[in-house]
Amino acid sequence: MPEKKSQKTLPKTPPKKRSEAHARLAARIADAGPVSVADFIAEACAHYYATRDPLGAAGDFTTAPEISQMFGEMIAACLADAWMQAGGPPEVRLIELGPGRGTLSADILRTFHNWPVLAGAVHLHLVETSPALRARQAAALAGHDNVFWHDRIEDVPPGFSLIVANEFFDALPVRQFEKKDGAWRERAVGHDAEKDAFFFTTLPAPDADIPAALADEDDGAIYETSPASIAVMKTLAARLAAQDGLALVIDYGYEGPAAGDTLQSLRHHTFTNVLEDVGEQDVTAHVDFTALKAAAESAGAAAHGPVTQHGFLGVLGIAARAQALALKATPKQRRDIELALYRLTAPSEMGTLFRVLGLTARDGKIHPAGFATAEGET
Ligand code: SAH
């Protein structure tokens, strides 16, 4: 009988390639102990977005503007209507946060040509930190004048603003709190040097206020907040309060406060383990629309909605637009249009998980279209 190979002589699987984000986090934890979930996400996401185009069939995830031009067309109609309600100001800052491949901005600018005065008044400002995605955006927007890039919304020059953020807030870090032995603790990430693997742990002292509604949660419950998102919302709201305009925030999320671990990671369109392949997969969390809305209102803006994506796109006329496009389409294109309409609006697809929150100046002239749904304005 052939001798059984000992463990030692078995060919070793080559060690997995670790990203710079993995190495940086491991070193930081070795030095100063576990990091908060928020710090872990910030490090992982910065590396992830900086080093690739994550979108599309060959990437890790797909978004509404990548599904169909109809999405950007409906957004453009809503923004153009707001511009008219404001009396058609002669200078317009169109601002997109986290523009990905630049598809949504390109679709909005194309649609604005239905209103030539508006099209001529627009300067496009893209808030994007990733060099790889800035290059993609520049390619998508080639031929357009007046396109500017910024690292932060604070750097965009003042003026009447039409602002969109689609799947931007879900990419910002969340802090997580976990109930343990009857007390809330901050959830953190440690690193096992021997296995070179990350693990969840908790830090002794939480310093965030846990909403009273969650006081009776059982051990193991998790509560999330996103201070980074709240800060951006306050900046947007202050901008609108001072200079007029409309912001549309579109994302998947819930109306909190609610307990639940919504942290998720995607690679090649498949859910993965958040603590593995650090910096090489898309890490996101669901957005708490109640918290975003409260932040905006506290900073001086009026909030509209949130309404479902299904309701918003429906009121703006996406079904009629799909029909108009289908008239000029080949049979294959007609099928694609029908499928895209379904993916964007069906409750089992993006229709109800995704919501739209509108922000305007309080007491301003703008009453944004799309927020009075069958259920009435919320
Ligand atoms: N809005 C696009 C892409 C969504 S992916 C779409 O709908 O297809 C998230 C986008 O936000 C990417 O462009 C990413 O690079 C950008 N992003 C993530 N964190 C950011 C930050 N802190 N500041 C600016 N942009 C950020």
Side-chain angles (χ1 to χ4, degrees):
M1 238 172 93
E3 215 182 276
K4 210 177 155 191
K5 276 186 180 172
S6 82
Q7 277 303 102
K8 280 196 178 124
T9 56
L10 277 175
K12 279 202 181 115
T13 47
K16 261 192 182 170
K17 207 177 155 287
R18 310 294 201 188
S19 73
E20 280 166 40
H22 178 112
R24 263 198 302 274
L25 279 161
R28 192 168 148 189
I29 293 168
D31 202 38
V35 295
S36 70
V37 165
D39 285 357
F40 179 84
I41 299 172
E43 188 83 62
C45 284
H47 178 84
Y48 174 74
Y49 285 113
T51 50
R52 76 208 66 217
D53 169 8
L55 288 145
D60 296 322
F61 61 96
T62 299
T63 56
E66 301 301 328
I67 290 173
S68 167
Q69 68 182 65
M70 294 187 290
F71 182 76
E73 290 169 347
M74 297 302 112
I75 303 277
C78 179
L79 298 177
D81 177 61
W83 173 74
M84 288 182 274
Q85 288 187 41
E91 275 192 16
V92 177
R93 311 251 175 238
L94 173 63
I95 305 170
E96 185 176 0
L97 306 181
R101 289 179 163 180
T103 309
L104 178 56
S105 278
D107 286 338
I108 293 172
L109 290 180
R110 182 175 45 75
T111 310
F112 275 180
H113 281 109
N114 292 313
W115 299 275
V117 178
L118 170 60
V122 167
H123 283 196
L124 176 61
H125 294 270
L126 302 174
V127 178
E128 173 62 70
T129 42
S130 159
L133 286 170
R134 280 188 179 200
R136 272 303 296 227
Q137 291 151 19
L141 292 157
H144 288 284
D145 298 329
N146 298 319
V147 183
F148 308 92
W149 279 266
H150 311 273
D151 282 338
R152 306 172 322 144
I153 177 82
E154 287 87 339
D155 303 333
V156 181
F160 178 84
S161 305
L162 300 173
I163 305 170
V164 285
N166 185 61
E167 291 210 33
F168 170 74
F169 284 94
D170 66 70
L172 299 184
V174 290
R175 290 178 76 181
Q176 288 193 322
F177 298 91
E178 185 180 335
K179 200 156 193 195
K180 236 183 186 174
D181 304 326
W184 289 95
R185 317 252 160 180
E186 177 142 17
R187 206 161 181 232
V189 177
H191 181 252
D192 180 331
E194 208 157 291
K195 296 190 193 135
D196 194 14
F198 295 100
F199 59 89
F200 282 116
T201 177
T202 53
L203 294 172
D207 64 355
D209 291 334
I210 305 298
L214 302 185
D216 296 333
E217 291 294 326
D218 292 333
D219 265 14
I222 289 186
Y223 168 67
E224 295 174 349
T225 63
S226 178
S229 300
I230 300 294
V232 176
M233 280 309 274
K234 287 190 170 168
T235 308
L236 288 185
R239 184 179 178 97
L240 292 171
Q243 295 153 27
D244 206 10
L246 168 66
L248 297 174
V249 171
I250 308 126
D251 226 309
Y252 48 95
Y254 57 99
E255 292 178 42
D261 175 8
T262 75
L263 202 56
Q264 65 184 41
S265 54
L266 273 177
R267 195 161 193 195
H268 307 314
H269 304 266
T270 305
F271 287 109
T272 52
N273 183 332
V274 173
L275 298 182
E276 286 174 4
D277 290 331
V278 175
E280 305 292 347
Q281 52 187 8
D282 180 52
V283 176
T284 60
H286 287 214
V287 165
D288 178 353
F289 276 97
T290 311
L292 292 191
K293 181 172 173 164
E297 287 173 335
S298 78
H304 309 267
V307 294
T308 62
Q309 179 163 301
H310 168 91
F312 181 78
L313 296 178
V315 169
L316 286 161
I318 195 168
R321 179 60 183 150
Q323 271 179 358
L325 284 172
L327 286 179
K328 289 179 272 173
T330 63
K332 154 94 175 74
Q333 287 169 331
R334 263 206 296 279
R335 261 199 63 79
D336 290 347
I337 294 165
E338 273 168 28
L339 194 61
L341 179 64
Y342 183 76
R343 286 182 71 186
L344 292 174
T345 60
S348 59
E349 299 276 329
M350 301 171 82
T352 48
L353 176 60
F354 280 74
R355 283 154 219 249
V356 187
L357 178 66
L359 304 180
T360 58
R362 210 177 273 155
D363 312 322
K365 292 191 203 119
I366 299 174
H367 301 280
F371 293 90
T373 64
E375 307 99 60
E377 179 150 4
T378 43

